[in-house]
Amino acid sequence: DAGVIQSPRHEVTEMGQEVTLRCKPISGHNSLFWYRQTMMRGLELLIYFNNNVPIDDSGMPEDRFSAKMPNASFSTLKIQPSEPRDSAVYFCASSFRADYNQPQHFGDGTRLSIL
Amino acid sequence: SQQGEEDPQALSIQEGENATMNCSYKTSINNLQWYRQNSGRGLVHLILIRSNEREKHSGRLRVTLDTSKKSSSLLITASRAADTASYFCATDRSSNTGKLIFGQGTTLQVKP
């Protein structure tokens, strides 16, 4: 079975540009999570969706960040305008939440560098 | 705020030895999970232990949970060079629905 698929794997862009990260969760999973990982702050949850609805976006750093999940098989995380401090690895994860006790399945991430 | 705090931050052992990593947390939980991350890859789920469980095994992995002390340990027995990775604990708090809080991780190096 295909795992969580993220694209692109690497993105290098200049400050001020719009960045769009994409995620395809595992088929049948109904929860989707966006994380950011840096050396300084570790792994931070940015936002998560249940059944395509955003449940908790308290981790989104500021208004420059937005996330959408138009359907069960696709989500995007957008940064506009991007800044050098946004450089990090961004992970998408999905799970099936029939109850609380379910693991999350991670993609291999997008390594974002803002120059 | 960080929920899980791992100890030690880094661990270096010889192949064949056992590796023990500890995790402490602050609030009541539904479950505690351990994940592994190889360099340049995403996290991979290893094992989940529910709040009403005290010990769980999976292959060479043994996880314990002490809810009175709000702590967990991950033991990897007979380590292999391929176990070299970062290991994270994550807690699913009782007050949340599906949200995991990750610790900073333990970096394990297994020398051949």
Side-chain angles (χ1 to χ4, degrees), chain A residues 73-94:
Chain A
S73 59
F74 184 65
S75 178
T76 59
L77 178 68
K78 188 172 293 188
I79 308 173
Q80 167 63 21
S82 57
E83 296 182 3
R85 60 191 168 125
D86 301 331
S87 298
V89 182
Y90 290 80
F91 289 102
C92 175
S94 70

Side-chain angles (χ1 to χ4, degrees), chain A residues 37 48 56 97 100-101 104, chain B residues 31 35 37 92 97-99:
Chain A
Q37 186 177 41
Y48 78 97
D56 184 346
R97 291 200 58 80
Y100 294 133
N101 297 302
Q104 293 183 12
Chain B
N31 64 68
Y35 289 78
Q37 184 179 31
D92 187 344
T97 54
K99 181 175 173 177

Side-chain angles (χ1 to χ4, degrees), chain A residues 1-7 9 22-29 31-32 72-74 91-95 104-109, chain B residues 41-45:
Chain A
D1 287 340
V4 175
I5 300 172
Q6 292 186 245
S7 64
R9 286 298 313 278
R22 297 173 176 79
C23 175
K24 177 179 170 56
I26 292 173
S27 178
H29 282 188
S31 292
L32 184 139
S73 59
F74 184 65
F91 289 102
C92 175
S94 70
S95 71
Q104 293 183 12
H105 300 262
F106 283 73
D108 278 335
Chain B
R41 303 298 299 273
L43 280 73
V44 174
H45 180 259

